[in-house]
């Protein structure tokens, strides 16, 4: 078993290179299922979730070659000419809910998919009804048995689909199903996240006809086939936001190379209001933090609102800010599991329904804590950097799902952070 040990209190200074976005990489990998021609993906982050998704593609019959030579890190070539299965098995879906992203492309390519039901997860129930209702409107039939959903069609046809909620992976699945459907589809109340736009642009580079990506209405004119392509993944806005807040938690000055500030406007506005100095240029963000931050309220919202994936990290800043703040979580019903851990470091936080009320304290003190989900783990790292003394974080496999080389990147800018292996575990 591995854990992270942080001796807090060091100020951060230097540069961090931002990796490719996990949430753009997964749908882009899934899109390789749509074409019989090879797809080359660049800037793929080395993450557990990416590894799991690649295993899933292999199970479906995709041949996957990773660049191994110098300068080819993060390059992968996918060839889905000969698909041999239409099933996403339980052991992979259980490890990563985003495995459900194969549903849309399998329906488009094979007219059939069998996907283990994701079920509940640490941050809530997370159903897939929106995905299934959309496919039904496109002429598919689904049945649920033995923990699997099986979806079939004699041929998808374009449809007008209104999403009850702008689900991110729901929009991606339906967009990937619609690109090869007969006729035109319109997806209303679609998600507007930059990862949706990246996927739409990638699909268009394969010959798809999608307009409106980035707005709440997507128009998709079905085509009869898609070609191969070469695509480079956008920078990870959640990783970027996390490191901006690392500077806020520990104090100091960071330059985030390769960051795209345009994808983080709501978070940057709130962080500036809290007192961080943030300067954005075309390919980098500079952040400076001195002195105590001010308390600011946030509400998580679908993009372009404040991202739920940065809520836990923002709470760490508010835990030491000078005043009272309210953080309201509107996307997931159970996304405050980091609160109990932050309280162990001395944070003063109360939960009332969907809101957390945070009274800033002057100092946090290191303690043993356990990570409960991906973004909660990142918040504990930031809390460890901010706290006085030693913090040990266990269950850090959550962190490895979504942050490439986090401790290496933080050590490079002055943090005292290391990974240790406990007896009986395997080290990295
Ligand atoms: C994606 C992101 C995740 C992020 C989330 C919200 C990926 C791989 N993951 O997850 O990091 O936290 O967006 O920004 O991109 N819902 C339903 N029915 C459905 C689908 C969703 O009720 O069929 C609900 C969910 O329970 C949740 C809300 O809609 O309460 C948002 O979920 P959704 O946007 O689908 O999140 P994901 O796509 O799973």
């Amino acid at each position: 078993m591995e854990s992270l040990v942080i001796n807090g209190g060091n100020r951060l200074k230097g540069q961090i290179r931002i990796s490719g976005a996990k949430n753009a990489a997964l749908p882009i990998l899934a899109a390789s299922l749509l074409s019989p021609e090879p797809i080359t993906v660049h800037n793929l982050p080395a993450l557990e979730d990416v590894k799991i998704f690649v295993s899933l593609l292999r199970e479906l019959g995709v041949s996957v070659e990773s660049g191994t030579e110098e300068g080819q890190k993060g390059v992968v070539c996918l060839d889905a000419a000969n698909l041999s299965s239409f099933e996403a098995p339980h052991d992979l879906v259980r490890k990563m809910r985003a495995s459900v992203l194969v549903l849309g492309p399998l329906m488009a390519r094979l007219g059939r998919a069998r996907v283990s039901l994701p079920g509940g997860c640490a941050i809530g129930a997370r159903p897939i009804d929106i995905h299934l209702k959309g496919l039904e409107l496109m002429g598919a039939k689904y049945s649920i048995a033995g923990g699997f959903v099986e979806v079939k069609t004699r041929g998808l046809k374009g449809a007008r689909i209104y999403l009850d909620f702008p689900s991110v992976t729901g929009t991606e699945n339906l967009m990937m199903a619609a690109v090869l459907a007969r006729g035109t589809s319109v997806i209303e109340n679609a998600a507007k996240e930059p990862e949706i736009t990246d996927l739409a642009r990638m699909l268009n580079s394969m010959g798809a006809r999608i307009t409106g990506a980035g707005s709440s209405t997507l128009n998709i004119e079905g085509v009869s086939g898609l070609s191969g392509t070469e695509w480079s993944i956008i920078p990870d806005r959640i990783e970027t936001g996390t490191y901006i807040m690392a500077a806020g938690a520990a104090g100091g000055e960071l330059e985030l190379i390769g960051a795209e500030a345009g994808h983080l406007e709501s978070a940057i506005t709130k962080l500036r209001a809290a007192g961080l100095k943030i300067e954005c240029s075309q390919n980098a963000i500079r952040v400076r933090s001195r002195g105590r931050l001010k308390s600011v309220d946030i509400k998580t919202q679908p993009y372009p609102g404040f991202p739920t994936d940065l809520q836990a990290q923002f709470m760490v800043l508010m835990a030491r800010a000078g005043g009272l703040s309210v953080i309201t979580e509107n996307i997931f019903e159970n996304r405050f599991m980091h609160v109990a851990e932050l309280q162990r470091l001395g944070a003063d936080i109360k939960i009332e329904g969907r809101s957390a009320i945070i009274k800033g304290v002057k100092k946090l003190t290191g303690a043993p804590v356990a990570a409960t989900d991906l973004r909660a783990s990142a918040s504990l790292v930031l809390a460890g950097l901010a706290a006085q003394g030693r913090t040990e974080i266990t269950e850090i496999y959550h962190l490895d799902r979504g942050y490439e080389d986090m401790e290496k990147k933080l050590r490079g800018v002055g943090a005292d952070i290391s990974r240790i292996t406990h007896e009986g575990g395997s080290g990295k």
Side-chain angles (χ1 to χ4, degrees), residues 254-277:
L254 290 180
E255 190 175 11
L256 307 176
I257 308 294
E260 172 59 64
H263 293 168
L264 263 176
E265 279 176 13
S266 55
I268 288 176
T269 304
K270 287 292 184 180
L271 289 164
R272 280 183 176 143
L276 289 183
K277 299 273 172 278

Side-chain angles (χ1 to χ4, degrees), residues 183-260:
T184 301
S185 298
V186 179
I187 305 178
E188 285 180 299
N189 199 28
K192 297 184 275 202
E193 271 71 1
E195 294 76 19
I196 306 270
T197 308
D198 200 35
L199 174 65
R201 291 179 58 224
M202 184 249 192
L203 293 169
N204 284 346
S205 79
M206 295 163 75
R209 297 208 182 125
I210 305 169
T211 56
S215 78
S216 54
T217 306
L218 294 173
N219 271 278
I220 304 147
E221 217 183 293
V223 295
S224 57
L226 293 174
S227 62
T229 191
E230 200 154 327
W231 198 255
S232 184
I233 290 168
I234 54 170
D236 196 314
R237 64 193 165 96
I238 304 302
E239 188 197 25
T240 305
T242 302
Y243 289 127
I244 294 178
M245 292 195 254
E253 200 169 326
L254 290 180
E255 190 175 11
L256 307 176
I257 308 294
E260 172 59 64

Side-chain angles (χ1 to χ4, degrees), residues 22-24 26-27 97-98 101 123 125-132 165-170 172 193 195 237 308-309 330-333 335 375:
K22 170 179 90 71
N23 287 354
L26 303 177
R97 194 187 173 279
L101 278 166
I123 59 173
R126 302 183 83 171
I128 56 164
D129 54 310
I130 293 170
H131 308 228
L132 295 173
F165 183 89
S167 160
V168 175
T169 48
E172 290 163 347
E193 271 71 1
E195 294 76 19
R237 64 193 165 96
T308 174
D309 285 352
N330 287 315
I331 309 292
F332 293 112
E333 74 270 27
R335 207 172 203 182
R375 306 303 170 184

Side-chain angles (χ1 to χ4, degrees), residues 26-315:
L26 303 177
I28 280 170
L29 290 171
S32 70
L33 292 164
L34 288 165
S35 171
E37 295 178 16
I39 311 275
T40 303
V41 180
H42 297 262
N43 202 30
L44 193 69
L47 300 171
E48 276 310 307
D49 273 11
V50 167
K51 272 196 215 156
I52 296 170
F53 210 90
V54 165
S55 313
L56 175 56
L57 292 178
R58 284 204 168 106
E59 292 240 350
L60 298 171
V62 180
S63 104
V64 186
E65 267 179 52
S66 302
T68 46
E69 289 164 29
E70 192 64 26
Q72 283 196 327
K73 198 175 156 249
V75 183
V76 72
C77 188
L78 306 132
D79 187 338
N82 300 306
L83 293 182
S84 53
S85 165
F86 53 85
E87 178 171 314
H90 180 60
D91 61 326
L92 291 174
V93 181
R94 181 180 55 83
K95 282 191 200 144
M96 186 184 56
R97 194 187 173 279
S99 307
V100 78
L101 278 166
V102 299
L103 184 57
L106 285 175
M107 289 305 294
R109 183 89 187 278
L110 304 176
R112 194 164 184 192
R114 194 165 182 268
V115 175
S116 170
L117 283 171
C121 73
I123 59 173
R126 302 183 83 171
I128 56 164
D129 54 310
I130 293 170
H131 308 228
L132 295 173
K133 274 187 209 153
L135 289 170
E136 210 173 29
L137 288 168
M138 294 171 79
K141 294 220 173 335
Y142 70 87
S143 55
I144 293 172
F148 277 80
V149 59
E150 180 144 7
V151 197
K152 282 186 200 164
T153 179
R154 290 229 179 93
L156 292 175
K157 52 183 196 320
R160 181 171 279 270
I161 302 165
Y162 175 85
L163 306 188
D164 289 337
F165 183 89
S167 160
V168 175
T169 48
T171 302
E172 290 163 347
N173 251 334
L174 296 175
M175 183 159 74
M176 289 191 278
V179 285
L180 290 176
R182 223 172 341 108
T184 301
S185 298
V186 179
I187 305 178
E188 285 180 299
N189 199 28
K192 297 184 275 202
E193 271 71 1
E195 294 76 19
I196 306 270
T197 308
D198 200 35
L199 174 65
R201 291 179 58 224
M202 184 249 192
L203 293 169
N204 284 346
S205 79
M206 295 163 75
R209 297 208 182 125
I210 305 169
T211 56
S215 78
S216 54
T217 306
L218 294 173
N219 271 278
I220 304 147
E221 217 183 293
V223 295
S224 57
L226 293 174
S227 62
T229 191
E230 200 154 327
W231 198 255
S232 184
I233 290 168
I234 54 170
D236 196 314
R237 64 193 165 96
I238 304 302
E239 188 197 25
T240 305
T242 302
Y243 289 127
I244 294 178
M245 292 195 254
E253 200 169 326
L254 290 180
E255 190 175 11
L256 307 176
I257 308 294
E260 172 59 64
H263 293 168
L264 263 176
E265 279 176 13
S266 55
I268 288 176
T269 304
K270 287 292 184 180
L271 289 164
R272 280 183 176 143
L276 289 183
K277 299 273 172 278
I278 301 176
E279 288 163 40
C280 305
S281 59
Q282 217 195 344
N283 198 28
I285 296 179
R286 287 175 83 94
V287 50
R288 268 182 300 138
S289 171
R290 283 202 192 95
R292 199 167 184 198
L293 295 178
K294 295 192 274 286
S295 288
V296 173
D297 296 344
I298 59 157
K299 289 183 178 161
T300 64
Q301 301 282 0
Y303 190 83
F306 192 96
T308 174
D309 285 352
L310 289 175
Q311 178 258 107
Q313 301 88 315
F314 194 82
M315 195 179 289

